[in-house]
Amino acid sequence: QVQLVESGGGLVQAGGSLRLSCAASGRTFSIAAMGWFRQAPGKEREFVAAISWSVGTTNYASSVKGRFTISKDNVKNTVYLQMNSLKSEDTAVYYCAVRDLSHAQFNYWGQGTQVTVSS
C-alpha cells in the first residue's frame, strides 16, 4: 500500500500562484509515476500532470501547459505542483495519485485538497 497526503491548497486571486505538495509513504519503492488530477463541481475528474519516478519525464494537460510545473523529490518521496497564472477555471479539488510498478493506471489516491481561484 502507498499512502498519500496532499497539502497547499487554498484561496487565491486570479493571476496568483499556489504550490501543492503530496507526500507518499508505505511501499514507496513500488512507485512508477506520480500525478495530479482535479475535479471541479459537476465535472468529471481530469488529468493535470504526471511525472515518472525514476527518469522524471513529465506530461501535462493542454489546459495547464506553460502555467503549471510538476516536480519531485525522491528523497522525501514528495511530488509538487507549482501553479502559476491561475484562472477561475482552475478551481477544483486537486488529487495526488500514484501508479505503481504493477499497474498501468494510477491506483493510489490522496484525499484531495481544495483550490479556489477568485476572479
Side-chain angles (χ1 to χ4, degrees):
Q1 293 283 341
V2 175
Q3 294 79 42
L4 301 170
V5 178
E6 300 114 330
S7 61
L11 174 64
V12 64
Q13 287 189 332
S17 299
L18 278 177
R19 189 175 84 152
L20 305 182
S21 300
C22 175
S25 60
R27 295 173 58 90
T28 56
F29 60 85
S30 68
I31 295 174
M34 291 188 74
W36 291 95
F37 293 73
R38 66 187 182 186
Q39 186 168 20
K43 295 187 177 181
E44 293 188 353
R45 186 167 58 191
E46 64 175 3
F47 169 78
V48 175
I51 187 166
S52 65
W53 205 237
S54 57
V55 178
T57 303
T58 60
N59 59 75
Y60 297 91
S62 57
S63 59
V64 306
K65 196 172 292 185
R67 299 188 298 121
F68 291 10
T69 302
I70 189 170
S71 61
K72 63 183 177 73
D73 184 328
N74 290 69
V75 174
K76 295 182 179 180
N77 293 315
T78 298
V79 66
Y80 305 95
L81 186 68
Q82 178 66 44
M83 304 185 294
N84 298 329
S85 302
L86 283 161
K87 307 174 181 179
S88 57
E89 51 263 45
D90 294 317
T91 295
V93 177
Y94 283 71
Y95 296 91
C96 175
V98 157
R99 179 176 67 80
D100 69 19
L101 294 168
S102 60
H103 287 78
Q105 304 294 329
F106 286 90
N107 57 310
Y108 293 106
W109 297 87
Q111 81 284 357
T113 186
Q114 177 71 47
V115 171
T116 302
V117 184
S118 62
S119 56

